[in-house]
Amino acid sequence: MTRPAARSSFTCMTAAATRPSETLLHIGGEMLLPLPEGALWWAAERVLVVSDLHLEKGSAYAARGQMLPPYDTAATLDVVERLCAALSPRTVISLGDSFHDRAAELRLPAPYAARIQALTGAHDWVWVEGNHDPDPPAHLGGRAAKSLRIGHLVFRHEPTGEAGEIAGHLHPAAKVKGRGRMVRRRCFASDGARLVMPAMGALTGGLNVLDAAFAPLFPEGLMAFALGGERVFAVSAKSLVPDVANGARWRL
């Protein structure tokens, strides 16, 4: 499922520099590059996939009296803009829950709306329907889809376990035990036939990949690919540990 990257054709471009990635994912006969920012790059089709941006989550919580810093949308857009500038994708697929709720467009400051419009105007931008945002704001540009098929791959928000599926929704995270300490990172979850993307939103949390929610999707087990500062790391199954004991669950 993973193999060394060929420097000439598969390159991980981050905001800081261009760096070769040591991790490639083979899904549905296609080679896909997971990026340390949490996005996925399909070089052969020049497709950039982002998932679970949850724009305006901070303002949603503030409206309910929980005062979070109101900078999550700007921080998330910063990352997406840098990736688009570095990779020049032909198509950008935002894999659902791009906005935290249906009223997000009403709270979205005009400068942020302009930044989104610039992105959707520069690329073939696809808003995949999510459970938080079934109807993306039309005035922000782009096109909406319940799901999207390109070749042998299918892109949708909620995973079904279909072969060739690239999905989001579950916000996978890996908790790793090593060298006397625990580290918890957002991650990609895959078994070589299907992939669940990490959430990219600045204020989004994560569900441990050992949670029972992942079991029906990966009946033969999964591998976690954790986000590092400069690249993505494959995590051995024996290094993964659960967050909680006694079957406690966290739900999105």
Side-chain angles (χ1 to χ4, degrees):
M1 181 161 54
T2 64
R3 65 186 69 177
R7 290 175 180 260
S8 60
S9 58
F10 292 98
T11 303
C12 172
M13 299 184 183
T14 69
T18 300
R19 304 181 178 93
S21 171
E22 296 180 2
T23 301
L24 287 173
L25 303 179
H26 187 263
I27 309 289
E30 299 292 342
M31 298 302 297
L32 308 174
L33 178 64
L35 302 174
E37 293 85 354
L40 189 69
W41 176 235
W42 185 6
E45 296 292 333
R46 288 180 54 208
V47 171
L48 178 68
V49 188
V50 299
S51 188
D52 294 271
L53 302 178
H54 282 268
L55 301 175
E56 290 304 301
K57 180 174 182 176
S59 64
Y61 275 70
R64 298 197 296 268
Q66 186 173 347
M67 305 308 290
L68 297 177
Y71 308 119
D72 58 301
T73 296
T76 302
L77 290 177
D78 284 348
V79 177
V80 176
E81 288 167 342
R82 288 198 297 267
L83 288 173
C84 287
L87 294 167
S88 298
R90 177 171 52 239
T91 302
V92 179
I93 302 172
S94 189
L95 211 54
D97 285 3
S98 304
F99 301 87
H100 188 64
D101 56 35
R102 296 189 183 201
E105 63 176 301
L106 303 177
R107 303 190 307 272
L108 187 69
Y112 297 166
R115 291 172 67 179
I116 295 171
Q117 290 165 342
L119 286 167
T120 60
H123 312 279
D124 175 21
W125 191 285
V126 184
W127 302 105
V128 172
E129 179 179 301
N131 59 297
H132 281 252
D133 57 351
D135 300 304
H139 74 282
L140 295 178
R143 56 190 174 101
K146 291 184 179 297
S147 63
L148 181 67
R149 291 183 182 271
I150 305 176
H152 294 103
L153 300 183
V154 56
F155 300 86
R156 61 170 57 96
H157 180 62
E158 295 193 37
T160 66
E162 180 181 351
E165 180 179 79
I166 311 296
H169 183 59
L170 290 179
H171 301 199
K175 188 174 182 180
V176 182
K177 178 181 180 181
R179 298 185 179 180
R181 66 190 184 102
M182 299 286 186
V183 177
R184 198 177 192 278
R185 300 284 188 187
R186 302 184 197 192
C187 72
F188 297 83
S190 179
D191 61 357
R194 54 198 62 81
L195 174 71
V196 179
M197 299 267 296
M200 281 187 63
L203 291 181
T204 51
L207 179 64
N208 193 298
V209 293
L210 297 183
D211 187 276
F214 289 94
L217 305 174
F218 304 102
E220 304 300 322
L222 60 78
M223 287 188 66
F225 301 88
L227 308 186
E230 298 183 354
R231 68 182 184 90
V232 174
F233 297 85
V235 179
S236 66
K238 65 181 180 181
S239 298
L240 294 171
V241 294
D243 286 328
V244 291
N246 301 322
R249 300 289 298 281
W250 174 71
R251 286 294 188 191
L252 294 170

